């Protein structure tokens, strides 16, 4: 099998080493991907100084370039975000803004640099909004060139206004585990197909 790599960007508002349900679910996604020959790693966005803007490097201490290097090196990008007020976290939205710069970055054949890469989404929260959040992320990621496999989102939404975090559950709900397994299976399959047969150029 073709060797594949995945990078999970954790959109928690809490920097390391604070516990994070988004990171917990992202690690479960990476574990599921590992069963399909994918080597994964995580990166907590709140640990970095990601400047606002739509350029690959905003200068003045901007740490996005070092994150971008890992994004470009990975075959699969997993965005893991909490839900706040029905939205993705602010640091997750900033990633989307910075990825906008990739629209002007092209390969030798003129195709956007993120073509032939695959994305997936993981969402957690104690309020409604998982479908809204995943639809926003899917559209933005596809706009910049990522392909999305069938059913490439896994999520857990707790009781509205509840106090139980996903990471504190005594065990993973069967529905979440099944959905995560499906995400991993379809995403790894699509990434492997694109690694061996890239999209045609113009």
């Amino acid at each position: 099998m073709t060797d594949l790599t995945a990078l999970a960007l954790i959109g928690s508002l809490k920097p390391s080493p604070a516990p994070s349900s988004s990171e917990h679910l992202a690690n479960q996604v990476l574990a599921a991907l590992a069963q399909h020959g994918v080597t994964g790693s995580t990166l907590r966005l709140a640990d970095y100084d990601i400047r606002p803007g739509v350029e690959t490097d905003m200068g003045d201490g901007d740490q996005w370039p070092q994150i971008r290097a890992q994004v470009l090196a990975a075959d699969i990008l997993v965005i893991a975000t909490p839900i706040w007020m029905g939205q993705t976290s602010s640091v997750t939205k900033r990633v989307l803004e910075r990825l906008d710069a990739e629209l002007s970055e092209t390969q030798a054949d003129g195709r956007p640099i993120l073509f032939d890469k695959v994305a997936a989404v993981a969402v957690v929260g104690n309020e409604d909004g998982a479908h809204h959040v995943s639809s926003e992320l899917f559209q933005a990621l596809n706009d910049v060139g990522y392909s999305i496999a069938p059913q490439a989102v896994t999520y857990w939404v707790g009781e509205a206004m509840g106090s139980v975090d996903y990471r504190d559950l005594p065990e993973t709900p069967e529905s979440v585990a099944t959905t995560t397994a499906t995400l991993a299976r379809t995403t790894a399959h699509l990434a492997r197909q694109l690694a061996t047969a890239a999209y045609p150029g113009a």
Side-chain angles (χ1 to χ4, degrees):
M1 291 193 304
T2 305
D3 292 334
L4 297 174
T5 59
L7 173 67
L9 298 182
I10 314 301
S12 172
L13 297 180
K14 298 173 289 189
S16 301
S20 164
S21 288
S22 298
E23 185 168 57
H24 183 61
L25 183 53
N27 283 330
Q28 291 180 331
V29 170
L30 293 181
L33 284 168
Q35 297 180 27
H36 300 277
V38 181
T39 302
S41 60
T42 63
L43 186 150
R44 183 102 55 116
L45 297 167
D47 294 340
Y48 295 82
D49 184 0
I50 304 171
R51 299 297 169 89
V54 290
E55 304 293 336
T56 58
D57 187 347
M58 299 304 297
D60 191 28
D62 180 26
Q63 292 184 298
W64 174 253
Q66 60 186 279
I67 299 173
R68 178 179 181 262
Q70 295 183 58
V71 169
L72 295 181
D75 301 293
I76 298 169
L77 179 66
V78 179
I79 301 287
T81 181
I83 303 170
W84 291 111
M85 300 179 71
Q87 306 289 318
T88 60
S89 70
S90 57
V91 290
T92 302
K93 285 182 179 288
R94 183 153 295 180
V95 165
L96 300 181
E97 291 170 351
R98 298 305 298 272
L99 285 174
D100 183 75
E102 306 307 331
L103 287 170
S104 59
E105 300 292 323
T106 59
Q107 303 179 51
D109 59 3
R111 297 179 306 142
I113 199 169
L114 293 176
F115 268 35
D116 310 323
K117 295 184 181 293
V118 181
V121 170
V123 185
V124 293
N126 287 112
E127 57 182 282
D128 193 15
H131 283 175
H132 170 73
V133 165
S134 61
S135 66
E136 281 195 335
L137 290 171
F138 282 162
Q139 183 64 60
L141 290 165
N142 187 254
D143 280 350
V144 297
Y146 281 100
S147 293
I148 311 295
Q151 299 182 354
V153 60
T154 187
Y155 65 89
W156 177 84
V157 177
E159 181 182 3
M161 296 181 284
S163 58
V164 177
D165 287 334
Y166 179 66
R167 59 184 167 79
D168 295 328
L169 296 178
E171 60 183 12
T172 302
E174 179 61 28
S175 59
V176 178
T178 301
T179 303
T180 299
T182 300
L183 177 158
R185 185 171 59 254
T186 61
T187 298
H189 175 78
L190 179 57
R192 188 159 282 111
Q193 294 298 309
L194 291 176
T196 57
Y199 288 119

